[in-house]
């Protein structure tokens, strides 16, 4: 099998098309899977992304040269045929399919196979080689079903309101926060948002993505002005003076890492909800099997353990080093 892609110190490179995918150093042409800031960085001469990703990139990166491509559309770049396909990670996220001389490779970026009701649902893409994240590549990671998650969060919020507390929920500004907004019941009380969350809400609403009404937190907004509220905050805001304005509160964190005992204690949160915009153990295995690929490259996460598992299943599996950080990195998304 000829290598359609190679792994360099700048990013994943396609020599046939002379482009990089999600590069972490400046390059001439970058194809971007999604707008989280470990995959979409400033400094490229030109970008290619889905319209949804491009809108968030413009918001975060400013005046950039970005061309858009619709899901499923074929584009010839040099000797490579390129198309973008839904990854289910966050709105606009894509897997990138590259075909060169009959060989098909797919870069998944970050993905999840669960339909969260917000992002374009994951679409398996048949290929010879598949580049997969494995942020949560251990059997312990299995996400709470959507209907149960909805009930858990709303019951916690109702209990907080009944006991005179503000419910403060830590969630990443792009993807996770909006997913949770689609789950919560606005009839319980007002929904307040950290500025970074609300900025992203505005970008997504402008693309026609429906979200419930929210109130941006400013100097005038406190627990007294909005009793019984749910506050969607960036993870870095929890436990800070910004959060103290809400008075008596219960804090919760929404993350796949909540599946590990001790993480919630280290986060100093009262509640932990097991949910992620990355694939869980079952999702990783289902997605890889659906590609039909024989050759698998795994990046960022439990790479060594997941590689061993894949080899035991008969795959030609390899670990590759990249600059992607998965859900750990997303905690810095509010600074983007």
């Amino acid at each position: 099998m000829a290598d359609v892609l190679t792994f360099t110190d700048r990013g994943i490179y396609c020599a046939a098309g002379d482009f990089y995918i999600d590069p972490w150093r400046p390059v001439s042409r970058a194809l971007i899977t999604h707008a989280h800031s470990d995959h979409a960085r400033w400094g490229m001469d030109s970008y290619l992304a889905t319209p949804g990703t491009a809108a968030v990139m413009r918001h975060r990166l400013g005046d950039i040269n970005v061309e858009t491509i619709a899901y499923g559309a074929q584009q010839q770049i040099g000797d490579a045929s390129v198309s973008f396909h839904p990854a289910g990670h966050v709105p606009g996220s894509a897997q990138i399919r590259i075909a060169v001389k009959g060989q098909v490779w797919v870069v998944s970026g970050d993905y999840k196979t669960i339909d969260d009701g917000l992002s374009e649902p994951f679409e398996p893409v048949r290929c010879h080689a598949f580049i997969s994240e494995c942020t949560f590549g251990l059997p312990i990671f299995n996400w709470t079903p959507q209907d149960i998650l909805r009930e858990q969060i709303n019951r916690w919020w109702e209990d907080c309101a009944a006991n005179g507390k503000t419910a403060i929920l830590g969630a990443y500004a792009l993807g996770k926060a909006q997913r949770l907004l689609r789950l919560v019941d606005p009839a319980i009380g007002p929904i307040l948002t950290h500025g970074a969350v609300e900025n992203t809400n505005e970008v997504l609403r402008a693309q026609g993505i429906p979200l419930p009404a929210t109130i941006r937190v400013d100097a005038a907004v406190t627990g007294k002005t909005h009793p019984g509220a749910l506050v969607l905050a960036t993870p870095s805001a929890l436990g800070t003076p910004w959060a103290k304005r809400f008075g008596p509160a219960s804090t919760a964190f929404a993350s796949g890492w909540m599946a590990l005992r001790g993480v919630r204690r280290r986060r100093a949160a009262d509640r932990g909800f097991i949910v992620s915009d990355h694939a869980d153990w079952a999702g990783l295995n289902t997605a890889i099997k659906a590609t039909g690929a024989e050759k698998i490259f795994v990046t960022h996460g439990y790479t060594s353990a997941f590689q061993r598992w894949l080899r035991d299943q008969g795959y030609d599996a390899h670990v590759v080093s990249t600059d992607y950080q998965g859900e750990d990195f997303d905690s810095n998304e509010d600074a983007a």
Side-chain angles (χ1 to χ4, degrees), residues 251 253 257-258 260-272:
T251 59
F253 196 77
W257 297 113
M258 294 296 106
L260 297 179
R261 291 185 177 183
V263 171
R264 192 181 78 192
R265 290 195 301 273
R266 292 198 297 273
R267 293 284 186 178
D270 301 314
R271 286 290 305 270

Short mmCIF file of all heavy atoms in Angstrom, two decimals, residues 251 253 257-258 260-272:
data_model
loop_
_atom_site.label_atom_id
_atom_site.label_comp_id
_atom_site.label_asym_id
_atom_site.label_seq_id
_atom_site.Cartn_x
_atom_site.Cartn_y
_atom_site.Cartn_z
N THR A 251 -21.92 23.01 41.70
CA THR A 251 -21.17 22.97 40.45
C THR A 251 -21.12 21.55 39.91
O THR A 251 -21.05 20.58 40.66
CB THR A 251 -19.73 23.48 40.65
OG1 THR A 251 -19.07 22.67 41.62
CG2 THR A 251 -19.73 24.93 41.11
N PHE A 253 -19.60 19.19 36.29
CA PHE A 253 -18.72 19.17 35.14
C PHE A 253 -19.19 18.09 34.19
O PHE A 253 -19.48 16.96 34.61
CB PHE A 253 -17.28 18.90 35.59
CG PHE A 253 -16.25 19.23 34.55
CD1 PHE A 253 -15.88 20.53 34.30
CD2 PHE A 253 -15.64 18.21 33.83
CE1 PHE A 253 -14.92 20.83 33.34
CE2 PHE A 253 -14.69 18.50 32.87
CZ PHE A 253 -14.33 19.82 32.62
N TRP A 257 -14.20 12.34 31.11
CA TRP A 257 -13.30 12.00 32.21
C TRP A 257 -14.05 11.74 33.51
O TRP A 257 -13.48 11.19 34.46
CB TRP A 257 -12.27 13.11 32.41
CG TRP A 257 -11.39 13.28 31.23
CD1 TRP A 257 -11.32 14.36 30.38
CD2 TRP A 257 -10.43 12.33 30.71
NE1 TRP A 257 -10.40 14.15 29.40
CE2 TRP A 257 -9.83 12.91 29.57
CE3 TRP A 257 -10.03 11.06 31.11
CZ2 TRP A 257 -8.86 12.24 28.82
CZ3 TRP A 257 -9.06 10.39 30.36
CH2 TRP A 257 -8.49 10.99 29.24
N MET A 258 -15.33 12.11 33.57
CA MET A 258 -16.11 11.83 34.77
C MET A 258 -16.32 10.32 34.96
O MET A 258 -16.78 9.89 36.03
CB MET A 258 -17.47 12.53 34.70
CG MET A 258 -17.40 14.05 34.72
SD MET A 258 -16.73 14.72 36.27
CE MET A 258 -15.10 15.23 35.72
N LEU A 260 -13.95 8.33 35.29
CA LEU A 260 -12.86 7.91 36.15
C LEU A 260 -13.07 8.43 37.57
O LEU A 260 -13.27 9.64 37.77
CB LEU A 260 -11.52 8.43 35.62
CG LEU A 260 -11.08 7.92 34.25
CD1 LEU A 260 -9.76 8.56 33.86
CD2 LEU A 260 -10.97 6.40 34.25
N ARG A 261 -13.02 7.55 38.54
CA ARG A 261 -13.15 7.97 39.93
C ARG A 261 -11.97 8.88 40.29
O ARG A 261 -10.84 8.65 39.92
CB ARG A 261 -13.15 6.75 40.85
CG ARG A 261 -14.40 5.91 40.72
CD ARG A 261 -14.41 4.79 41.75
NE ARG A 261 -15.64 4.01 41.68
CZ ARG A 261 -15.93 3.01 42.51
NH1 ARG A 261 -15.05 2.67 43.44
NH2 ARG A 261 -17.06 2.35 42.39
N GLY A 262 -12.26 9.89 41.03
CA GLY A 262 -11.21 10.80 41.47
C GLY A 262 -11.12 12.06 40.64
O GLY A 262 -10.69 13.10 41.14
N VAL A 263 -11.52 11.99 39.37
CA VAL A 263 -11.43 13.18 38.52
C VAL A 263 -12.38 14.26 39.00
O VAL A 263 -12.03 15.44 39.07
CB VAL A 263 -11.71 12.83 37.04
CG1 VAL A 263 -11.82 14.09 36.20
CG2 VAL A 263 -10.61 11.93 36.49
N ARG A 264 -13.60 13.85 39.36
CA ARG A 264 -14.57 14.85 39.84
C ARG A 264 -14.07 15.53 41.11
O ARG A 264 -14.23 16.74 41.29
CB ARG A 264 -15.93 14.19 40.10
CG ARG A 264 -17.05 15.22 40.30
CD ARG A 264 -18.37 14.54 40.57
NE ARG A 264 -18.45 14.06 41.94
CZ ARG A 264 -19.39 13.23 42.39
NH1 ARG A 264 -20.29 12.74 41.56
NH2 ARG A 264 -19.41 12.87 43.65
N ARG A 265 -13.43 14.75 42.01
CA ARG A 265 -12.90 15.34 43.24
C ARG A 265 -11.81 16.36 42.90
O ARG A 265 -11.75 17.42 43.51
CB ARG A 265 -12.35 14.24 44.16
CG ARG A 265 -13.42 13.37 44.78
CD ARG A 265 -12.86 12.56 45.94
NE ARG A 265 -11.76 11.70 45.52
CZ ARG A 265 -11.92 10.47 45.04
NH1 ARG A 265 -13.14 9.98 44.89
NH2 ARG A 265 -10.86 9.75 44.71
N ARG A 266 -10.95 16.01 41.94
CA ARG A 266 -9.88 16.95 41.57
C ARG A 266 -10.45 18.20 40.93
O ARG A 266 -9.86 19.27 41.02
CB ARG A 266 -8.89 16.26 40.63
CG ARG A 266 -8.08 15.15 41.31
CD ARG A 266 -6.85 14.80 40.52
NE ARG A 266 -7.15 14.26 39.21
CZ ARG A 266 -7.38 12.96 38.96
NH1 ARG A 266 -7.38 12.09 39.97
NH2 ARG A 266 -7.61 12.53 37.75
N ARG A 267 -11.60 18.07 40.27
CA ARG A 267 -12.26 19.23 39.68
C ARG A 267 -13.04 20.03 40.71
O ARG A 267 -13.56 21.10 40.39
CB ARG A 267 -13.22 18.78 38.58
CG ARG A 267 -12.54 18.17 37.36
CD ARG A 267 -11.94 19.24 36.50
NE ARG A 267 -11.41 18.68 35.25
CZ ARG A 267 -10.87 19.41 34.29
NH1 ARG A 267 -10.76 20.71 34.45
NH2 ARG A 267 -10.42 18.85 33.19
N ALA A 268 -13.16 19.51 41.92
CA ALA A 268 -13.90 20.16 43.00
C ALA A 268 -15.34 20.44 42.59
O ALA A 268 -15.90 21.50 42.89
CB ALA A 268 -13.19 21.46 43.43
N ALA A 269 -15.95 19.48 41.90
CA ALA A 269 -17.33 19.63 41.47
C ALA A 269 -18.25 18.76 42.33
O ALA A 269 -17.85 17.71 42.83
CB ALA A 269 -17.48 19.23 40.00
N ASP A 270 -19.49 19.25 42.50
CA ASP A 270 -20.46 18.48 43.27
C ASP A 270 -21.04 17.32 42.47
O ASP A 270 -21.41 16.29 43.04
CB ASP A 270 -21.61 19.41 43.71
CG ASP A 270 -21.12 20.57 44.55
OD1 ASP A 270 -20.31 20.32 45.47
OD2 ASP A 270 -21.50 21.72 44.27
N ARG A 271 -21.14 17.50 41.14
CA ARG A 271 -21.70 16.46 40.28
C ARG A 271 -20.82 16.30 39.05
O ARG A 271 -20.15 17.22 38.61
CB ARG A 271 -23.11 16.84 39.81
CG ARG A 271 -24.19 16.72 40.85
CD ARG A 271 -24.48 15.25 41.20
NE ARG A 271 -24.80 14.44 40.04
CZ ARG A 271 -26.04 14.26 39.57
NH1 ARG A 271 -27.06 14.85 40.15
NH2 ARG A 271 -26.26 13.48 38.53
N GLY A 272 -20.86 15.12 38.50
CA GLY A 272 -20.17 14.85 37.25
C GLY A 272 -21.10 14.12 36.30
O GLY A 272 -21.74 13.14 36.68
#
